[in-house]
Amino acid sequence: MEKFDYSALSFKSLKTLKLIYDLGSLTAAAIELGQNQPTISYTLDQMRAALQDPLFVRSGRGVAPTSRCHQIMPEIDKLLRGMSELLQPEEFEPSNANLDVTISCNQYELQIIVPSLVERLNRLAPNIRMAFIQSHVSGHRQLQRGLCDLLLSPVVRDYEALYQRRLFKDRYVCLMSAAHTLAKQPIGLDDYRAAKHVEIHYEGGWKPFYLSAPELQGVNLNVALSLPSVSNLIPTIASTDLLMTLPERLARLIGGSMLIKDPPFISDFELCLYWNKMTHHSKAHQWLREQIIDICSTLDSPRSTT
Amino acid sequence: MEKFDYSALSFKSLKTLKLIYDLGSLTAAAIELGQNQPTISYTLDQMRAALQDPLFVRSGRGVAPTSRCHQIMPEIDKLLRGMSELLQPEEFEPSNANLDVTISCNQYELQIIVPSLVERLNRLAPNIRMAFIQSHVSGHRQLQRGLCDLLLSPVVRDYEALYQRRLFKDRYVCLMSAAHTLAKQPIGLDDYRAAKHVEIHYEGGWKPFYLSAPELQGVNLNVALSLPSVSNLIPTIASTDLLMTLPERLARLIGGSMLIKDPPFISDFELCLYWNKMTHHSKAHQWLREQIIDICSTLDSPRSTT
DNA sequence: GCGCTGTAATCAAATTTTTCCATAATAGAT
DNA sequence: ATCTATTATGGAAAAATTTGATTACAGCGC
């Protein structure tokens, strides 16, 4: 006797079996299911072959379950309930959603967005585990390849197969010591070119947007200091005449008592949230994306500078 | 959007889904299942409709599961395992078999068989719950109607739709006080007819077999005492000249110091175990029937009498 | 960037499974 | 024993699955 392959059985078979069990009659089950009686017999035959047991025997006006049938009925119930739950539209309750999320971003987003996000998720959805990876220059590739679920990036572009949502605007400003030569005057283009600059060199060779400003084309900035991260920027340049050009929100966040001044060019940019089709339909991820959008919409707008 | 009816889904669909998940490729899944690729696409389409989610999205050479897909895969695993177990041939382990059994019989079987059976089941299969009901004269009817699972009866007959197995033979003997007038001699037919008899009157009007002996045809026994049960028989007749005709095994069991003598006729009978098709295929019931058969085969054969 | 390659999606036809209708067999019930 | 209600069976119709051929798509190498 070869092993029976249960693949062929459908949930309808189980449902039918249970109905026969409950009603004690094939005919009644047929009526209930809006089918006719031979159909029920046919299904029952399949189950009999599958389970190697008559399952029901004629008895009085109808059928009575066999011992085996009694035995398996609770299991069948479980399977039916399991399937029913499986097809429930994904119901998402932040407070007990269990989820792993990987978010790719760089220093800027880690500083500006991530703290609020972590705080909020920790409060509203404590069972969501977050992992942050660095985007470097290939965030969209990471996302396309499923290495992360979300990308926070200042690059606004229509990547193929990615969804996006703009979060907020920012622009570059100049950060310098209050004692800086240029502290008391608007910074002209010549001043800017002549100044001693600090740069952050990102892995992968990414260059900040402001370098693409028309006013800086063909100009080699005088880079007096190159750092791998903004983390120790302020103490490093606080008492120097070095000048750092960086996003305004970041400048305000870490700048302390340093001076923030308009640069001699316009370099607005937008921060964008990207995701892919893998998480697009997920209720949990939809909620998560909304949280990020909400956080960003309520970030303080930076005040204008001198 | 109307509620999806999961009935149509078969376990094959789930199996296919899991295979795509494990292999990350529809084509590979198709090969593994010995089908061709559009078939897998077709099945996936069904699941997509059912679950309202793409489940897999194209990614690199193959497909990657969506968030929802990750989420439901453990459930699908559970369902597949559940179904697989359901189709396992009923494996029966006495020590942890959980079962309800109803056995129909009368006083004789309750005295002769049931104590050993209860002891044995309590020892080997402590989770089998037994209920004993009285057969009266309609034991086979009870069995046919599913009111009991087993019938122990001395009536050997081919009832329709019932299975049977003979257990052991017995015969009727005469039980009397050692001081009885007939104590010192073989009992002749005239002695027997002249004696003062005790009878047990069973509910339903059942008459013991020995009354059908050819030697007693047309004879009205002199019934001096009629009791509803054998339970208080011995103390009642111990010091009288009453004579009780009853099955030998019962006589030996309850007779104490009373005298057992051959009656002036032959009245052998056999005890039989009956069951119906509802329990015929059940491994548990098969085992249970074997236990009863075994117990009966090892009952002491009654020694012959004077 | 542009074709190449491997993979999934789509379509119509072939096949298989399921359902239906009519009818026979069966087991209780009158 | 006959009657009635119910399940089983068989052949035809309907529906579904599977197939083979083809198209569309996404990475990858050049």
Side-chain angles (χ1 to χ4, degrees):
Chain A
M1 184 201 320
E2 82 274 41
K3 182 104 163 52
F4 188 87
D5 180 17
Y6 61 83
S7 303
L9 295 178
S10 69
F11 282 91
K12 171 143 63 176
S13 308
L14 298 186
K15 223 173 177 177
T16 301
L17 216 59
K18 177 168 163 52
L19 209 54
I20 300 173
Y21 188 85
D22 289 344
L23 300 175
S25 155
L26 304 216
T27 306
I31 292 167
E32 178 79 19
L33 288 170
Q35 299 187 300
N36 59 22
Q37 171 268 316
T39 302
I40 307 298
S41 281
Y42 174 81
T43 303
L44 180 53
D45 273 349
Q46 290 186 131
M47 294 303 289
R48 281 170 169 167
L51 293 164
Q52 302 279 312
D53 186 280
L55 297 173
F56 294 97
V57 294
R58 294 184 79 137
S59 155
R61 40 179 68 260
V63 290
T66 65
S67 169
R68 183 86 212 273
C69 189
H70 275 117
Q71 202 180 18
I72 62 175
M73 203 45 69
E75 277 307 313
I76 288 180
D77 251 13
K78 252 193 254 172
L79 287 171
L80 287 175
R81 265 200 307 279
M83 191 59 190
S84 177
E85 269 171 37
L86 190 68
L87 294 189
Q88 287 304 309
E90 173 189 12
E91 92 289 331
F92 168 72
E93 190 52 62
S95 53
N96 51 274
N98 204 293
L99 196 68
D100 286 291
V101 178
T102 301
I103 301 177
S104 176
C105 62
N106 281 322
Q107 273 302 127
Y108 174 74
E109 298 81 19
L110 277 175
Q111 298 256 7
I112 304 298
I113 303 175
V114 170
S116 310
L117 179 61
V118 169
E119 182 280 320
R120 185 185 284 217
L121 289 197
N122 195 55
R123 179 161 44 81
L124 301 181
N127 294 317
I128 293 184
R129 289 169 298 286
M130 289 168 278
F132 292 91
I133 64 174
Q134 288 205 267
S135 309
H136 303 309
V137 286
S138 55
H140 65 284
R141 195 100 39 99
Q142 293 172 335
L143 194 53
Q144 283 165 334
R145 299 190 176 171
L147 273 62
C148 60
D149 302 308
L150 284 172
L151 168 65
L152 290 165
S153 164
V155 181
V156 175
R157 212 175 97 189
D158 278 332
Y159 293 110
E160 66 177 338
L162 294 187
Y163 301 91
Q164 60 174 267
R165 167 80 182 239
R166 303 197 181 188
L167 294 173
F168 57 74
K169 296 190 180 186
D170 203 350
R171 59 164 191 153
Y172 280 87
V173 294
C174 297
L175 190 69
M176 66 187 76
S177 154
H180 195 282
T181 329
L182 298 170
K184 298 268 156 52
Q185 58 180 97
I187 304 173
L189 201 51
D190 292 335
D191 302 326
Y192 188 83
R193 287 181 181 166
K196 294 167 73 179
H197 292 271
V198 185
E199 79 166 16
I200 307 291
H201 57 269
Y202 295 97
E203 271 187 76
W206 187 72
K207 291 291 174 195
F209 294 124
Y210 70 91
L211 294 174
S212 319
E215 292 85 347
L216 299 184
Q217 291 313 303
V219 175
N220 269 322
L221 283 188
N222 174 22
V223 176
L225 173 64
S226 183
L227 293 172
S229 148
V230 291
S231 63
N232 57 339
L233 176 69
I234 305 306
T236 308
I237 67 167
S239 48
T240 69
D241 62 346
L242 291 168
L243 182 155
M244 174 73 203
T245 307
L246 77 178
E248 181 170 11
R249 289 173 196 273
L250 191 52
R252 296 200 179 278
L253 185 70
I254 67 175
S257 57
M258 303 281 283
L259 212 57
I260 293 173
K261 296 182 71 75
D262 290 335
F265 45 78
I266 294 188
S267 62
D268 290 357
F269 67 92
E270 273 186 294
L271 199 81
C272 197
L273 174 66
Y274 293 94
W275 64 97
N276 63 24
K277 43 197 171 173
M278 276 149 80
T279 59
H280 188 59
H281 292 82
S282 162
K283 287 279 190 303
H285 280 268
Q286 281 168 14
W287 179 85
L288 177 59
R289 292 193 292 264
E290 277 160 24
Q291 298 312 302
I292 293 173
I293 291 163
D294 189 53
I295 284 168
C296 290
S297 75
T298 58
L299 285 179
D300 289 341
S301 278
R303 294 150 294 157
S304 70
T305 58
T306 55
Chain B
M1 186 200 319
E2 82 275 38
K3 182 115 160 50
F4 188 87
D5 181 17
Y6 60 83
S7 303
L9 295 178
S10 69
F11 283 90
K12 170 142 62 176
S13 308
L14 298 186
K15 222 175 177 177
T16 301
L17 215 60
K18 177 169 163 51
L19 209 54
I20 300 173
Y21 187 84
D22 290 343
L23 300 175
S25 155
L26 304 218
T27 305
I31 292 166
E32 178 79 19
L33 288 170
Q35 299 187 298
N36 60 22
Q37 172 267 315
T39 303
I40 307 296
S41 281
Y42 175 81
T43 303
L44 180 54
D45 272 350
Q46 289 186 131
M47 294 303 288
R48 281 170 168 166
L51 293 164
Q52 301 278 310
D53 187 279
L55 298 174
F56 294 96
V57 294
R58 294 184 79 138
S59 155
R61 41 180 65 260
V63 290
T66 65
S67 170
R68 183 86 211 275
C69 189
H70 275 119
Q71 201 180 19
I72 62 175
M73 204 45 68
E75 279 306 313
I76 288 180
D77 251 14
K78 253 193 252 172
L79 286 171
L80 287 175
R81 266 200 306 279
M83 191 60 190
S84 177
E85 271 171 36
L86 190 68
L87 295 187
Q88 286 304 308
E90 174 189 9
E91 91 290 332
F92 168 72
E93 190 53 61
S95 53
N96 51 274
N98 204 292
L99 197 67
D100 286 291
V101 178
T102 301
I103 301 176
S104 176
C105 63
N106 281 322
Q107 273 303 127
Y108 174 75
E109 297 82 18
L110 277 175
Q111 298 257 5
I112 304 298
I113 303 175
V114 169
S116 309
L117 179 60
V118 169
E119 182 281 320
R120 185 186 286 217
L121 289 197
N122 194 54
R123 180 160 44 82
L124 300 181
N127 294 316
I128 293 184
R129 289 168 298 286
M130 289 168 278
F132 291 91
I133 63 173
Q134 287 205 267
S135 308
H136 304 309
V137 287
S138 56
H140 65 285
R141 196 101 38 96
Q142 293 171 336
L143 194 53
Q144 284 165 334
R145 298 188 176 172
L147 273 61
C148 60
D149 302 309
L150 285 172
L151 167 65
L152 291 166
S153 164
V155 181
V156 175
R157 213 174 97 188
D158 277 333
Y159 293 109
E160 65 176 340
L162 293 188
Y163 301 90
Q164 61 175 268
R165 167 79 183 239
R166 302 196 181 188
L167 295 172
F168 57 76
K169 296 189 179 185
D170 203 348
R171 60 163 190 154
Y172 280 86
V173 295
C174 296
L175 191 68
M176 67 186 76
S177 156
H180 196 281
T181 329
L182 297 170
K184 299 267 156 54
Q185 57 179 97
I187 304 172
L189 202 51
D190 292 336
D191 302 325
Y192 188 83
R193 287 181 181 165
K196 295 167 74 178
H197 291 272
V198 186
E199 81 166 15
I200 307 292
H201 57 268
Y202 295 97
E203 271 187 77
W206 186 72
K207 290 292 172 193
F209 293 124
Y210 69 93
L211 295 174
S212 319
E215 291 86 346
L216 298 185
Q217 292 313 303
V219 175
N220 269 322
L221 283 188
N222 173 20
V223 177
L225 174 63
S226 183
L227 293 172
S229 148
V230 291
S231 65
N232 58 338
L233 177 68
I234 305 307
T236 308
I237 67 167
S239 49
T240 68
D241 62 346
L242 291 168
L243 182 157
M244 174 73 204
T245 307
L246 79 177
E248 181 170 11
R249 289 174 196 273
L250 191 51
R252 296 198 179 280
L253 185 70
I254 68 174
S257 58
M258 303 281 283
L259 213 57
I260 292 173
K261 295 181 71 73
D262 290 336
F265 47 77
I266 293 187
S267 62
D268 290 357
F269 68 91
E270 273 187 294
L271 200 82
C272 198
L273 174 66
Y274 293 94
W275 64 97
N276 63 25
K277 45 196 170 174
M278 275 149 81
T279 59
H280 188 60
H281 293 82
S282 163
K283 287 278 189 305
H285 279 269
Q286 281 167 15
W287 178 86
L288 177 59
R289 293 193 292 264
E290 276 160 24
Q291 298 312 302
I292 294 173
I293 291 162
D294 190 51
I295 284 168
C296 290
S297 75
T298 59
L299 284 180
D300 289 342
S301 278
R303 294 149 295 158
S304 71
T305 58
T306 55

